Coordinates of all heavy atoms in Angstrom, one line a residue:
Chain A
K12 N -10.3 -13.7 -14.0 CA -10.8 -14.6 -13.1 C -12.2 -15.2 -13.4 O -13.1 -14.5 -13.6 CB -10.8 -13.9 -11.6 CG -11.5 -14.7 -10.6 CD -10.6 -15.8 -10.0 CE -11.4 -16.7 -9.0 NZ -10.6 -17.8 -8.7
Y14 N -15.2 -17.3 -11.9 CA -15.7 -17.5 -10.6 C -17.2 -17.6 -10.5 O -17.8 -16.7 -11.0 CB -15.1 -16.3 -9.7 CG -15.6 -16.3 -8.3 CD1 -15.0 -17.3 -7.4 CD2 -16.3 -15.3 -7.8 CE1 -15.4 -17.3 -6.1 CE2 -16.7 -15.3 -6.5 CZ -16.2 -16.3 -5.6 OH -16.6 -16.3 -4.3
K47 N -12.3 -8.9 -4.1 CA -11.8 -10.1 -3.6 C -10.4 -10.6 -4.2 O -9.6 -11.1 -3.5 CB -12.9 -11.2 -3.7 CG -14.1 -10.9 -2.7 CD -14.8 -12.2 -2.4 CE -16.0 -12.3 -3.3 NZ -16.9 -13.5 -2.8
I53 N -9.9 -14.5 -3.1 CA -10.0 -15.5 -4.2 C -8.8 -15.4 -5.0 O -8.2 -14.3 -5.2 CB -11.3 -15.4 -5.0 CG1 -11.4 -13.9 -5.6 CG2 -12.5 -15.6 -4.2 CD1 -12.5 -13.7 -6.6
K54 N -8.3 -16.5 -5.6 CA -7.1 -16.5 -6.3 C -7.4 -16.2 -7.8 O -8.3 -16.6 -8.4 CB -6.4 -17.9 -6.3 CG -5.8 -18.2 -4.9 CD -4.5 -19.0 -5.1 CE -3.6 -18.8 -3.9 NZ -4.2 -19.0 -2.6
K72 N 1.3 -11.2 3.4 CA 1.2 -10.8 4.8 C 1.6 -9.4 5.1 O 1.0 -8.6 5.8 CB 2.1 -11.8 5.7 CG 1.3 -12.4 6.7 CD 2.2 -13.4 7.5 CE 1.5 -13.6 8.8 NZ 2.0 -14.8 9.5
K75 N -1.0 -7.0 3.7 CA -2.3 -7.0 4.4 C -2.2 -6.3 5.8 O -3.1 -5.8 6.3 CB -2.8 -8.4 4.6 CG -3.4 -8.9 3.3 CD -4.1 -10.2 3.4 CE -4.7 -10.6 2.1 NZ -5.3 -12.0 2.2
D84 N -20.8 -8.0 3.5 CA -21.6 -9.0 4.2 C -20.8 -9.9 5.1 O -21.3 -10.9 5.5 CB -22.3 -9.9 3.1 CG -21.1 -10.6 2.2 OD1 -20.0 -10.2 2.3 OD2 -21.5 -11.6 1.5
S85 N -19.6 -9.5 5.4 CA -18.8 -10.4 6.3 C -18.0 -9.6 7.4 O -17.4 -8.5 7.0 CB -17.8 -11.0 5.3 OG -16.8 -11.6 6.0
F86 N -18.1 -10.0 8.5 CA -17.3 -9.4 9.6 C -17.2 -10.4 10.8 O -17.5 -11.6 10.6 CB -18.2 -8.2 10.2 CG -17.5 -7.3 11.1 CD1 -16.3 -6.7 10.7 CD2 -18.0 -7.0 12.3 CE1 -15.6 -5.8 11.5 CE2 -17.3 -6.1 13.2 CZ -16.2 -5.6 12.8
S88 N -18.2 -12.2 14.4 CA -19.5 -12.5 14.9 C -20.3 -11.3 15.5 O -19.7 -10.5 16.2 CB -19.4 -13.6 16.0 OG -20.6 -13.8 16.6
Y90 N -22.1 -11.5 18.0 CA -22.2 -11.7 19.4 C -21.1 -11.1 20.2 O -21.0 -11.2 21.4 CB -22.4 -13.2 19.7 CG -23.7 -13.8 19.2 CD1 -23.7 -14.4 18.0 CD2 -24.9 -13.6 20.0 CE1 -25.0 -15.0 17.5 CE2 -26.1 -14.1 19.4 CZ -26.1 -14.7 18.2 OH -27.3 -15.2 17.8
L91 N -20.2 -10.3 19.5 CA -19.1 -9.7 20.0 C -19.4 -8.2 20.3 O -20.1 -7.6 19.5 CB -17.8 -9.8 19.2 CG -17.3 -11.2 19.0 CD1 -16.4 -11.2 17.8 CD2 -16.8 -11.9 20.2
D95 N -14.8 -6.4 22.9 CA -14.3 -7.8 22.5 C -13.4 -7.7 21.2 O -12.3 -8.2 21.1 CB -15.4 -8.7 22.2 CG -16.2 -9.0 23.5 OD1 -15.6 -8.8 24.6 OD2 -17.3 -9.4 23.3
K98 N -9.9 -6.5 21.7 CA -9.0 -7.6 22.3 C -8.6 -8.6 21.2 O -7.5 -9.2 21.4 CB -9.9 -8.2 23.5 CG -9.9 -7.4 24.7 CD -10.6 -8.2 25.8 CE -10.9 -7.2 26.9 NZ -12.1 -7.5 27.6
I99 N -9.5 -8.8 20.2 CA -9.2 -9.9 19.3 C -8.2 -9.3 18.2 O -7.2 -9.9 17.9 CB -10.6 -10.4 18.6 CG1 -11.3 -11.2 19.6 CG2 -10.2 -11.2 17.3 CD1 -12.8 -11.4 19.1
M100 N -8.6 -8.0 17.7 CA -7.8 -7.5 16.6 C -6.5 -7.1 16.9 O -5.6 -7.2 16.0 CB -8.6 -6.3 16.1 CG -10.0 -6.5 15.5 SD -10.0 -7.7 14.1 CE -9.4 -6.6 12.8
N102 N -4.3 -8.8 18.3 CA -3.4 -9.9 18.0 C -3.0 -10.0 16.5 O -2.0 -10.6 16.2 CB -4.1 -11.2 18.4 CG -4.3 -11.2 20.0 OD1 -3.3 -11.2 20.8 ND2 -5.6 -11.1 20.4
F103 N -3.9 -9.5 15.6 CA -3.6 -9.6 14.2 C -2.7 -8.5 13.6 O -2.0 -8.8 12.6 CB -4.9 -9.7 13.4 CG -5.8 -10.8 13.9 CD1 -7.1 -10.6 14.3 CD2 -5.3 -12.1 13.7 CE1 -7.9 -11.7 14.7 CE2 -6.1 -13.2 14.1 CZ -7.4 -12.9 14.6
Y104 N -2.7 -7.4 14.3 CA -2.0 -6.3 13.7 C -1.0 -5.7 14.7 O -1.4 -5.3 15.8 CB -3.0 -5.1 13.3 CG -3.9 -5.5 12.2 CD1 -5.2 -5.9 12.4 CD2 -3.4 -5.5 10.8 CE1 -6.0 -6.3 11.4 CE2 -4.3 -5.9 9.8 CZ -5.6 -6.3 10.1 OH -6.4 -6.6 9.0
T142 N -13.0 -0.5 13.0 CA -12.1 -1.7 13.0 C -11.1 -1.6 11.9 O -10.0 -2.0 12.1 CB -13.0 -3.0 13.0 OG1 -14.0 -2.9 14.0 CG2 -12.2 -4.2 13.3
Chain C
K2 N 1.0 -15.1 17.4 CA 0.0 -14.1 18.0 C -1.3 -14.2 17.2 O -2.4 -14.1 17.9 CB 0.6 -12.7 18.0 CG 0.4 -12.2 19.4 CD 0.9 -10.7 19.5 CE 0.2 -10.0 20.7 NZ 0.3 -8.6 20.6
E3 N -1.2 -14.4 15.9 CA -2.4 -14.5 15.1 C -3.3 -15.6 15.6 O -4.5 -15.5 15.6 CB -2.1 -14.7 13.6 CG -1.3 -13.6 13.0 CD 0.2 -13.9 13.1 OE1 0.7 -14.8 13.7 OE2 0.9 -13.0 12.3
G6 N -5.0 -14.9 18.6 CA -6.2 -14.0 18.3 C -7.4 -14.7 17.8 O -8.5 -14.5 18.2
I9 N -8.9 -16.5 20.7 CA -9.7 -15.6 21.6 C -11.0 -15.3 21.0 O -12.1 -15.3 21.6 CB -8.8 -14.3 21.9 CG1 -7.6 -14.7 22.7 CG2 -9.6 -13.3 22.5 CD1 -6.6 -13.5 22.9
K10 N -11.0 -15.1 19.7 CA -12.2 -14.8 18.9 C -13.3 -15.9 19.1 O -14.4 -15.6 19.5 CB -11.9 -14.7 17.4 CG -13.1 -14.8 16.5 CD -12.7 -14.8 15.0 CE -12.8 -16.1 14.3 NZ -13.6 -17.2 14.3
M13 N -14.4 -15.9 22.9 CA -15.4 -14.8 23.2 C -16.7 -14.9 22.5 O -17.7 -14.4 23.1 CB -14.7 -13.4 22.6 CG -13.6 -13.0 23.6 SD -13.0 -11.4 23.1 CE -12.3 -10.8 24.6
T14 N -16.8 -15.6 21.4 CA -18.1 -15.7 20.8 C -18.9 -16.8 21.7 O -20.1 -16.6 21.7 CB -17.8 -16.3 19.4 OG1 -16.9 -15.6 18.7 CG2 -19.2 -16.4 18.6
K16 N -19.0 -16.8 24.8 CA -19.5 -16.0 25.9 C -21.0 -15.9 25.8 O -21.7 -16.1 26.9 CB -18.9 -14.7 25.9 CG -18.3 -14.3 27.2 CD -17.5 -12.9 27.2 CE -18.1 -11.9 26.2 NZ -17.4 -10.7 26.2
Y61 N -21.0 -20.1 14.1 CA -20.8 -18.8 14.3 C -20.1 -18.0 13.1 O -20.5 -17.0 12.6 CB -20.1 -18.4 15.6 CG -21.0 -18.6 16.8 CD1 -20.8 -19.6 17.7 CD2 -22.0 -17.7 17.1 CE1 -21.5 -19.7 18.9 CE2 -22.8 -17.8 18.2 CZ -22.5 -18.8 19.1 OH -23.4 -19.0 20.2
S65 N -21.9 -15.1 10.3 CA -21.4 -13.8 10.0 C -20.3 -13.8 8.9 O -19.7 -12.8 8.6 CB -20.7 -13.2 11.3 OG -19.7 -14.2 11.9
K66 N -20.3 -15.0 8.2 CA -19.4 -15.1 7.1 C -18.0 -14.7 7.4 O -17.3 -13.9 6.6 CB -19.9 -14.4 5.8 CG -21.2 -15.0 5.4 CD -21.6 -14.5 4.0 CE -22.9 -15.1 3.6 NZ -23.8 -14.0 3.0
S67 N -17.5 -15.0 8.6 CA -16.2 -14.5 9.0 C -15.0 -14.9 8.2 O -14.0 -14.1 8.3 CB -16.0 -14.8 10.5 OG -16.9 -14.2 11.3
K69 N -14.3 -15.1 5.2 CA -13.9 -14.1 4.1 C -13.2 -12.9 4.7 O -12.1 -12.5 4.2 CB -15.2 -13.7 3.3 CG -14.9 -12.9 2.0 CD -16.1 -12.9 1.2 CE -17.2 -11.9 1.7 NZ -18.4 -11.9 0.8
Y70 N -13.7 -12.5 5.8 CA -13.2 -11.3 6.5 C -11.8 -11.6 7.0 O -10.8 -10.9 6.9 CB -14.1 -10.8 7.6 CG -13.7 -9.5 8.3 CD1 -13.5 -8.4 7.6 CD2 -13.5 -9.5 9.7 CE1 -13.2 -7.2 8.2 CE2 -13.2 -8.3 10.3 CZ -13.0 -7.2 9.6 OH -12.7 -6.0 10.2
H72 N -9.6 -13.6 6.0 CA -8.6 -13.6 5.0 C -8.2 -12.2 4.5 O -7.2 -12.2 3.7 CB -9.1 -14.5 3.8 CG -9.3 -15.9 4.2 ND1 -10.3 -16.7 3.8 CD2 -8.6 -16.7 5.1 CE1 -10.3 -17.8 4.3 NE2 -9.2 -17.9 5.2
F74 N -7.0 -10.3 6.7 CA -6.0 -9.9 7.7 C -4.7 -10.6 7.3 O -4.6 -11.4 6.4 CB -6.4 -10.6 9.0 CG -7.7 -10.2 9.7 CD1 -8.1 -10.8 10.8 CD2 -8.5 -9.2 9.2 CE1 -9.3 -10.4 11.5 CE2 -9.6 -8.8 9.7 CZ -10.1 -9.4 10.9
P75 N -3.6 -10.1 7.9 CA -2.3 -10.7 7.6 C -2.2 -12.1 8.4 O -1.4 -12.3 9.2 CB -1.4 -9.7 8.2 CG -2.0 -8.9 9.1 CD -3.5 -8.9 8.8
V76 N -3.1 -13.0 8.0 CA -3.2 -14.4 8.6 C -3.3 -15.4 7.5 O -4.1 -15.2 6.6 CB -4.4 -14.4 9.6 CG1 -4.6 -15.8 10.2 CG2 -4.3 -13.4 10.6
E212 N -12.7 -21.0 -1.8 CA -12.8 -19.6 -2.1 C -14.1 -19.0 -1.5 O -15.1 -19.7 -1.5 CB -12.8 -19.4 -3.6 CG -11.6 -19.9 -4.2 CD -11.3 -19.2 -5.6 OE1 -12.1 -19.1 -6.4 OE2 -10.1 -18.7 -5.8
F213 N -14.0 -17.8 -0.9 CA -15.2 -17.3 -0.2 C -15.8 -16.1 -0.9 O -15.1 -15.5 -1.6 CB -14.7 -16.9 1.2 CG -14.3 -18.1 2.0 CD1 -13.0 -18.5 2.0 CD2 -15.3 -18.8 2.7 CE1 -12.6 -19.6 2.8 CE2 -14.9 -19.9 3.4 CZ -13.6 -20.3 3.5

Side-chain angles (χ1 to χ4, degrees):
Chain A
K12 170 75 188 173
Y14 177 67
K47 285 202 267 188
I53 55 172
K54 286 220 157 51
K72 235 179 162 169
K75 284 187 176 174
D84 62 344
S85 163
F86 192 57
S88 170
Y90 292 98
L91 298 169
D95 293 339
K98 283 183 194 147
I99 294 167
M100 296 301 286
N102 294 292
F103 297 124
Y104 296 99
T142 309
Chain C
K2 233 185 153 196
E3 296 93 353
I9 292 173
K10 165 188 106 25
M13 281 187 158
T14 313
K16 229 175 35 180
Y61 280 113
S65 48
K66 296 192 182 131
S67 292
K69 192 161 77 182
Y70 186 57
H72 294 141
F74 297 176
V76 174
E212 297 205 311
F213 295 91

